[in-house]
Amino acid sequence: MIPTVSASAARHLFLGAQGLLDDPARRATVPSLQALIEKLGFVQMDTINVVARAHDLTLFSRLDGYRPEQLRKLLEDRRSLFEGFTHDASAIPTAWFGHWKPRFARDRERIHAHAWWQNHFRGTDGARVVGDVKARIEREGPLKSSDFEHPEKRGPWWGWKPQKAALDFLWRSGELMIPRREGFQKLYDLTERVLPDHHALPCPDPEAHVEWACASAAERLVIFTPKELAEFWASIEAAEAKAWCDRAAKAGRILPLAVEGADGEARPAFALTDWEKRLAKLPEPPERTRLLCPFDPILRDRTRALRRFGFDYRFEAFVPEPKRQYGYFVLPILEGERFVGRLDPKLHRDRGLLEVRGLWWESGIKATKARKRGLDDALERLATFVGAEEILLP
């Protein structure tokens, strides 16, 4: 017989590990922000700015006093964070930079061989473009994509010009880093100039890398499957995580158990051996309603979010508008430990107006006066954060 963890205990542990049980009104400083990101592991960055950037929403939902300039200080001045890839572009503690070296080597090979990627260099000598781009940065210092001209207009995003593709390739393969941004445009510079000490670190051997990837992910999940460990950093294969779990369980470092889902079904998983002690020490969730980013850590794995919270969330920004069920950039509404609804916001910066274009309560949730008041408070906090003077509800 193996122990079974209740759905409520699993939720509580996950929220605690991901910073959503801490007091959001605690003092927000640059060091406390660094500590928060280290606790999360990383924070995903994204270009969509319908109401605020994804990383800003994620951090603000956990720290009321957070301001974007604090993150910039960590990334650009202290460089205790760097921009790199996990499952997507993220701000990552620089102390772990050495564990991105295996990824740099892996991505270099994968990207170079990918037909979709090679399409960006059609009609050009790709290797020469990459070499020329790097040589120019070496000579001139940090440059943006817009500093490189190309006669053929290929449009944004998937229609990147060859030089933009070269910059991204060099970044993903670790030869360039992002020392700062202008607006939200990346500037690229040589890694040895941006992070000279970390650039010189040796690449960890495969065994050490797998150990770090699994142990650090386990600390931030507490209860997990091998697949969830592998996907946390997106740096190792599922088979490597499965082998680590088998070894760690045999050594008594983790425990096999069953974890109940929101649907009542118990599924096999693993947990840190002290999960019960951790659970006993966790506070109750803050008495407030929060609006979470679509890329929040507790929502990033949509299957896990459904299993843990019974909340079925899909990001619809890239779904054609007529086919969207809710909206372009929908924020889940978290009340305590329960997702009670979702809303579709739009910030009209020129008018100082935060518009809620749609509001949907989850099935079985009643829009009581107290619940509406909690949502109003959450919207007021968000409006203050993004500089809106007025809120328009549907």
Side-chain angles (χ1 to χ4, degrees), residues 32 47 66 101 117 260 288 304 318 335 338 370 391:
S32 68
T47 59
Y66 163 74
K101 293 197 171 188
W117 200 264
E260 284 184 354
R288 63 159 57 186
R304 182 175 56 209
F318 304 114
E335 183 183 276
R338 185 182 187 187
I391 300 169

Side-chain angles (χ1 to χ4, degrees), residues 65-255:
Y66 163 74
R67 294 296 178 264
E69 56 267 23
Q70 294 173 322
L71 182 62
R72 285 196 293 272
K73 190 173 187 66
L74 293 174
L75 283 164
E76 299 176 8
D77 298 340
R78 299 191 179 188
R79 294 196 176 155
S80 56
L81 303 176
F82 74 98
E83 287 195 43
F85 251 71
T86 53
H87 67 294
D88 213 320
S90 303
I92 304 157
T94 307
W96 301 328
F97 183 82
H99 285 286
W100 262 253
K101 293 197 171 188
R103 182 193 302 265
F104 294 149
R106 180 197 70 186
D107 285 358
R108 185 180 301 114
E109 294 181 7
R110 289 183 178 179
I111 294 170
H112 198 268
H114 203 291
W116 177 85
W117 200 264
Q118 289 300 314
N119 183 54
H120 291 307
F121 296 103
R122 65 185 184 273
T124 66
D125 181 339
R128 182 172 181 178
V129 172
V130 169
D132 288 348
V133 165
K134 185 177 180 182
R136 187 175 162 194
I137 289 174
E138 198 168 32
R139 291 193 310 270
E140 300 178 26
L143 295 173
K144 305 184 297 290
S145 173
S146 58
D147 293 320
F148 295 87
E149 295 182 359
H150 186 71
E152 182 183 350
K153 180 69 173 176
R154 294 186 178 179
W157 292 11
W158 318 131
W160 290 350
K161 60 190 176 185
Q163 292 87 348
K164 165 61 177 169
L167 287 167
D168 206 70
F169 170 77
L170 289 164
W171 174 47
R172 294 285 300 272
S173 60
E175 296 185 59
L176 299 180
M177 282 286 113
I178 299 167
R180 65 182 186 279
R181 288 176 180 255
E182 291 182 357
F184 204 64
Q185 288 190 63
K186 301 185 189 82
L187 275 91
Y188 300 84
D189 198 1
L190 300 180
T191 301
E192 55 263 41
R193 292 201 292 234
V194 178
L195 298 171
D197 294 338
H198 294 82
H199 176 262
L201 292 172
C203 182
D205 65 60
E207 184 177 340
H209 179 60
V210 170
E211 167 62 27
W212 171 84
C214 291
S216 59
E219 184 67 27
R220 288 159 181 82
L221 297 173
V222 185
I223 296 175
F224 47 86
T225 64
K227 181 175 181 289
E228 289 168 349
L229 284 189
E231 291 178 351
F232 186 88
W233 301 110
S235 64
I236 61 172
E237 301 297 329
E240 293 175 303
K242 174 63 168 62
W244 182 88
C245 285
D246 291 342
R247 292 193 303 272
K250 188 174 181 180
R253 297 175 61 193
I254 62 175
L255 294 171

Side-chain angles (χ1 to χ4, degrees), residues 295-310:
F295 307 132
D296 193 277
I298 67 168
L299 292 165
R300 186 168 54 242
D301 184 330
R302 311 302 190 200
T303 301
R304 182 175 56 209
L306 180 60
R307 201 166 59 234
R308 286 275 192 277
F309 301 94

Side-chain angles (χ1 to χ4, degrees), residues 5-21:
V5 181
S6 69
S8 62
R11 279 194 298 272
H12 204 66
L13 284 163
F14 189 32
L15 290 168
Q18 287 295 308
L20 283 167
L21 298 184

